[in-house]
Amino acid sequence: MNNFFDKSVHYLGKTNPNTFIMNIGAMDGVMFDELIGYTNMYNFKGLYVEPIPYLFDKLKNNKPNEGNMFENSAISDYNGEIEMMTIDRDVIDQGLVHSCFYGMSAVYPPKNGLGSEFDRPTVEKYGQKVNVKCITFDKLLRKHRIENFDIIKIDAEGHDYVIFKLIDFLEFRTKVVRLEWINLNEEEKQLIKDKFDEVNYKFEIKN
């Protein structure tokens, strides 16, 4: 299954003009977005979810197509607020840190690079804790009146399994699922593989 994700999304783009995507952890809709090439090529419509306010504002400006929807929240297993760690926006804009920090906000305590020893000096100097709204996956669907979706991409910097386990794959039979693997622990990775086996999904793992 060499590059199963790429082949699957192209297939949907060519065969289903009404393909609908769920992009969770969308950032600004451009930088580090694995779906941007496909959405531009096939004009996919979708729901874009981003919890960090300034990135959310950029996201709406970058995805003005009619039919797109937006949610300025984190997705979690409860409704309310959740604490996140991010890097000061002005520091990033001024180029005082590596550009990779532009996409490294994470639920606190962070499991991604923001929680690593290597990035500790940057986090201690420029890190900011922020409280953002969070909602469950079910509430997200009800709020935006989404009854089905073809592709879901989860890029939640280590919070991915918390979101993944909220999705009922037997109900939705989502055609393509993409999530970030590197920041998950071994138990979470096994649980994801077990779930895919249970619901008879083919999957490919790339670290």
Side-chain angles (χ1 to χ4, degrees):
M1 292 189 298
N2 187 30
N3 211 342
F4 191 55
F5 172 76
D6 178 71
K7 293 176 181 177
S8 300
V9 178
H10 275 305
Y11 177 80
L12 284 175
K14 293 173 182 177
T15 60
N16 182 5
N18 297 314
T19 294
F20 189 86
I21 67 172
M22 299 277 287
N23 193 326
I24 298 177
M27 286 188 52
D28 65 4
V30 178
M31 291 286 288
F32 309 116
D33 185 359
E34 296 168 305
L35 286 175
I36 186 171
Y38 306 103
T39 55
N40 289 343
M41 181 178 296
Y42 298 112
N43 197 32
F44 291 154
K45 301 299 187 296
L47 172 60
Y48 291 83
V49 181
E50 172 54 46
I52 303 300
Y54 86 91
L55 289 174
F56 182 74
D57 290 340
K58 290 185 176 183
L59 170 65
K60 290 189 294 183
N61 289 330
N62 289 335
K63 298 290 182 181
N65 295 2
E66 184 179 353
N68 284 334
M69 297 179 283
F70 304 92
E71 176 63 40
N72 186 200
S73 300
I75 309 303
S76 198
D77 50 7
Y78 66 96
N79 297 303
E81 285 192 347
I82 196 167
E83 189 174 44
M84 296 188 68
M85 171 67 74
T86 188
I87 299 297
D88 183 88
R89 173 185 180 180
D90 292 337
V91 170
I92 296 172
D93 289 344
Q94 294 170 28
L96 298 178
V97 297
H98 193 279
S99 60
C100 70
F101 286 102
Y102 180 61
M104 290 178 66
S105 301
V107 169
Y108 190 85
K111 297 179 181 179
N112 66 348
L114 295 178
S116 70
E117 287 299 316
F118 181 80
D119 290 327
R120 180 187 293 272
T122 300
V123 173
E124 289 181 346
K125 188 172 183 179
Y126 300 119
Q128 288 186 336
K129 292 181 184 178
V130 295
N131 288 322
V132 300
K133 183 172 65 174
C134 71
I135 62 175
T136 63
F137 190 75
D138 179 64
K139 183 176 179 179
L140 176 74
L141 297 182
R142 286 187 282 108
K143 178 178 178 180
H144 294 276
R145 299 180 180 179
I146 295 172
E147 297 181 352
N148 206 354
F149 48 95
D150 302 290
I151 300 170
I152 184 166
K153 186 216 77 175
I154 305 171
D155 187 352
E157 302 292 344
H159 197 61
D160 308 70
Y161 179 67
V162 174
I163 299 169
F164 175 87
K165 68 182 181 180
L166 300 176
I167 304 170
D168 187 338
F169 291 102
L170 291 177
E171 177 182 356
F172 295 107
R173 298 307 297 177
T174 306
K175 298 175 180 67
V176 178
V177 181
R178 177 78 159 185
L179 54 87
E180 193 173 47
W181 194 252
I182 190 171
N183 295 313
L184 301 174
N185 62 42
E186 293 305 313
E187 180 183 8
E188 291 170 334
K189 290 177 180 179
Q190 187 60 54
L191 288 169
I192 289 170
K193 290 188 285 186
D194 290 345
K195 173 55 70 174
F196 280 143
D197 285 336
E198 177 188 333
V199 296
N200 197 29
Y201 272 42
K202 294 180 180 179
F203 60 89
E204 180 180 56
I205 298 171
K206 289 189 174 182
N207 289 318

